[in-house]
Amino acid sequence: MELPPGPREDPCAWDDDSDPEPEPDPDAQAEAYVSRVLSPPQFGLAPLRAPPLSAPAAFSGAPEPRPTSKGPSVQFPGLLSLPPELLLEICAYLDARLVLHVLPRVCRALRDLVRDHVTWRLRAQRRVRAPYPVVEEEDFDWPAACIELEQHLSRWAEDGRWAEYFCLADGHFASIDSVLLLQGGTLCLSGSRDRNVNLWDLRQLGVEPSRVLVKALGTQKNSTHKGWVWSLAALDHRVCSGSWDSTVKLWDMAADGQQFGEIKGKAAVLCLSYRPDILVTGTYDKKVTVYDPRAGPALLKSRRLHSSAVLALLADDRHIISGSEDHTLVVFDRRANSVLQRLQVGPAQGLEGPGLHVAQPELLYPSSLPQLDSYLLCMSYQEPQLWAGDNQGLLHVFANREGCFQLVRTFDVGHRSQITGIKHSLGALYTTSTDKTIRVRPSDRLHPLLARNTPLDFACCPPPGARAHRPTTDHLHPKPSQRAKWAASGGLSLEVWRLQA
């Protein structure tokens, strides 16, 4: 039997005898569903976006949500409805690591805000209040720079009063000229004029003082070397020591500091650079010599690049850079096996005193000038920036631009005599000098963070009446969970600062 014609079948209206209602807005319906079913009940507050897998709320008396329309106030309720400028101001009070790694997981709007490098550039410049970085880079890592800068400022906050200080005075009987931190700052090596390289276990600081000094490296009866130990370098667990006895000795710290090689040269070894494929030495006889540490070590080549002793040295995959008492900086191209550049180092003019003072490059390297009195003693390289300290207490910054190193700036950082140690990174600068001070500051503004005679200008003073000597430093950049350590020498003692995490 055929049924009489009736209303069109509507699955949504089978159990509803009332008149059909207007078709709802699907977006408003979805938002109402999320608010009603997937959000936990909150009394007196309008529900925000809920976690995607929340359990349904068992609240029978909840009022039906008010219909909403599409717009920014719905997509970005509450905090996210603020202008980006206010969001950035709020984020400035949060830890940089949290902003970088946690906020992008909250929502797309915060992810886009955090991924914008302009955000991090503004944040960094707000911290340093000076042109940053010193060398302009197209692919500069602004988030990493902010994290390191803020970590550095946090560790040295409140006049550095939270840094623990230890003075280890019983290991050497002559001046310490080289210091090296190893294995995340747990171990330390010190090279001295008493011809020994001592191994220190810094984990025992404040715990078992008698166990801090482990031993002197080597099997010789009286000393590690037969001359003053002047330089140390490391690659992973392998360490090399250079001495005035014209030898370089190699040590394996994974094998309890056992010696696994020795290089016998013809002149005192004043500086070292240790790479996976090469070991480079700078010597008193004006030569830069390259060895293969994997084979013997075997001599690869030796070049007389200078007319006086080689005082500073570093190497990377492309270059070997050396500074000499002949007032020159030489850049050697490893791939072309030839000298790429030879720059003359001269004193800066127009520097009036400590702080941020910049000399014009054309005043520093006039093509017609003869040899001048300034020469480099130490270098720190993080491509494309090369920072170098000279014998007049000045700091020079070079930029590697398409394989050509150019002087960018020269700073007076407040040292009164030779700068003998330098460590530069994205967010910090550390320098030491024969004026017996260590200066710690953000790398861009080059001002002491605090007034003089505070813990930030560390005094590395020898005993009264002792002659001035060559203080050295090695700075560690630890993981966030580790405690940073500073080790320095200013005399017969090794001095260690352990910073807050």
Side-chain angles (χ1 to χ4, degrees):
M1 180 177 177
E2 185 179 357
L3 294 177
R8 184 167 47 186
E9 292 184 352
D10 184 357
C12 298
W14 279 355
D15 296 329
D16 190 358
D17 294 333
S18 60
D19 294 335
E21 296 181 355
E23 185 176 352
D25 180 5
D27 290 338
Q29 190 177 42
E31 292 166 2
Y33 174 80
V34 170
S35 299
R36 184 180 70 255
V37 178
L38 300 181
S39 298
Q42 298 183 12
F43 299 93
L45 293 175
L48 300 175
R49 293 183 60 182
L53 297 178
S54 301
F59 180 59
S60 59
E64 185 175 355
R66 181 179 302 174
T68 57
S69 59
K70 294 184 289 183
S73 61
V74 174
Q75 294 180 355
F76 308 110
L79 187 66
L80 298 181
S81 63
L82 297 175
E85 293 80 4
L86 291 181
L87 290 176
L88 291 177
E89 181 69 21
I90 295 173
C91 290
Y93 292 90
L94 302 177
D95 183 81
R97 287 170 295 174
L98 182 145
V99 173
L100 181 63
H101 300 299
V102 177
L103 292 190
R105 302 180 182 182
V106 175
C107 67
R108 184 177 299 175
L110 291 178
R111 182 196 65 186
D112 294 341
L113 187 67
V114 168
R115 287 184 178 179
D116 187 358
H117 275 201
V118 175
T119 298
W120 295 100
R121 181 168 189 147
L122 293 174
R123 185 182 180 112
Q125 292 176 345
R126 177 176 178 175
R127 295 290 190 272
V128 299
R129 302 179 185 276
Y132 182 82
V134 172
V135 178
E136 291 290 339
E137 304 174 39
E138 292 183 1
D139 56 348
F140 187 73
D141 193 343
W142 287 101
C146 279
I147 291 175
E148 186 172 332
L149 176 63
E150 293 179 16
Q151 202 172 41
H152 166 78
L153 294 174
S154 174
R155 287 196 175 109
W156 294 102
E158 299 185 31
D159 299 358
R161 67 185 62 183
W162 299 111
E164 298 179 83
Y165 169 75
F166 302 90
C167 182
L168 308 177
D170 297 330
H172 293 283
F173 59 85
S175 296
I176 300 172
D177 290 302
S178 187
V179 175
L180 185 66
L181 288 172
L182 301 170
Q183 299 182 14
T186 59
L187 300 179
C188 181
L189 291 177
S190 57
S192 169
R193 298 183 188 184
D194 64 11
R195 307 181 180 186
N196 276 327
V197 177
N198 281 354
L199 173 63
W200 308 81
D201 186 353
L202 301 186
R203 294 168 295 188
Q204 302 299 327
L205 290 173
V207 180
E208 290 287 342
S210 61
R211 299 177 61 184
V212 176
L213 177 59
V214 179
K215 65 176 183 178
L217 299 184
T219 57
Q220 296 187 28
K221 183 177 180 180
N222 296 321
S223 60
T224 306
H225 282 271
K226 296 180 180 179
W228 292 357
V229 181
W230 202 250
S231 54
L232 295 169
L235 176 67
D236 299 327
H237 58 84
R238 298 179 293 276
V239 176
C240 59
S241 56
S243 169
W244 281 85
D245 65 4
S246 305
T247 66
V248 177
K249 295 187 177 182
L250 293 91
W251 315 92
D252 188 352
M253 306 312 299
D256 197 29
Q258 295 298 312
Q259 184 176 345
F260 70 93
E262 182 175 352
I263 299 171
K264 295 182 179 180
K266 298 180 180 179
V269 180
L270 305 183
C271 46
L272 293 163
S273 183
Y274 202 168
R275 301 286 299 175
D277 57 337
I278 59 172
L279 172 61
V280 189
T281 65
T283 50
Y284 192 76
D285 62 356
K286 316 165 190 176
K287 292 182 180 179
V288 173
T289 306
V290 182
Y291 300 88
D292 186 347
R294 303 164 296 182
L299 174 64
L300 297 180
K301 54 192 170 187
S302 182
R303 298 282 296 270
R304 182 168 293 182
L305 300 179
H306 297 275
S307 59
S308 189
V310 181
L311 305 180
L313 182 72
L314 56 83
D316 64 4
D317 295 335
R318 301 181 58 185
H319 306 105
I320 297 174
I321 306 173
S322 56
S324 168
E325 197 174 359
D326 65 4
H327 319 287
T328 62
L329 175 71
V330 172
V331 181
F332 186 85
D333 191 326
R334 292 181 56 188
R335 299 175 183 177
N337 194 30
S338 62
V339 173
L340 179 65
Q341 283 181 277
R342 185 181 299 272
L343 305 176
Q344 187 178 32
V345 183
Q349 302 178 18
L351 299 183
E352 300 175 359
L356 179 58
H357 300 282
V358 183
Q360 298 299 322
E362 57 269 18
L363 296 179
L364 294 171
Y365 299 111
S367 58
S368 60
L369 274 181
Q371 282 190 345
L372 299 174
D373 295 332
S374 179
Y375 50 84
L376 303 181
L377 293 170
C378 55
M379 295 186 290
S380 177
Y381 183 52
Q382 188 173 29
E383 193 174 7
Q385 300 184 32
L386 172 65
W387 293 62
D390 72 10
N391 65 316
Q392 296 186 344
L394 301 179
L395 195 61
H396 308 274
V397 184
F398 300 85
N400 182 2
R401 292 172 176 163
E402 299 180 355
C404 182
F405 284 82
Q406 301 175 7
L407 179 69
V408 177
R409 288 184 178 180
T410 293
F411 298 105
D412 178 356
V413 294
H415 287 299
R416 299 187 302 275
S417 58
Q418 298 96 330
I419 296 179
T420 56
I422 179 174
K423 185 67 177 181
H424 168 261
S425 65
L426 287 175
L429 175 70
Y430 301 80
T431 57
T432 63
S433 170
T434 52
D435 65 8
K436 306 170 188 175
T437 64
I438 301 174
R439 292 182 176 265
V440 184
R441 55 185 62 80
S443 60
D444 64 296
R445 58 176 148 174
L446 297 176
H447 291 292
L449 289 176
L450 302 171
R452 190 171 169 179
N453 298 326
T454 65
L456 288 184
D457 277 347
F458 299 108
C460 304
C461 299
R467 59 180 293 182
H469 52 277
R470 175 177 174 262
T472 60
T473 66
D474 181 67
H475 179 63
L476 168 75
H477 296 282
K479 296 180 180 179
S481 59
Q482 297 175 335
R483 303 182 73 181
K485 295 183 180 69
W486 244 97
S489 169
L492 308 182
S493 61
L494 176 69
E495 300 175 72
V496 180
W497 289 264
R498 187 163 60 189
L499 310 182
Q500 62 181 346

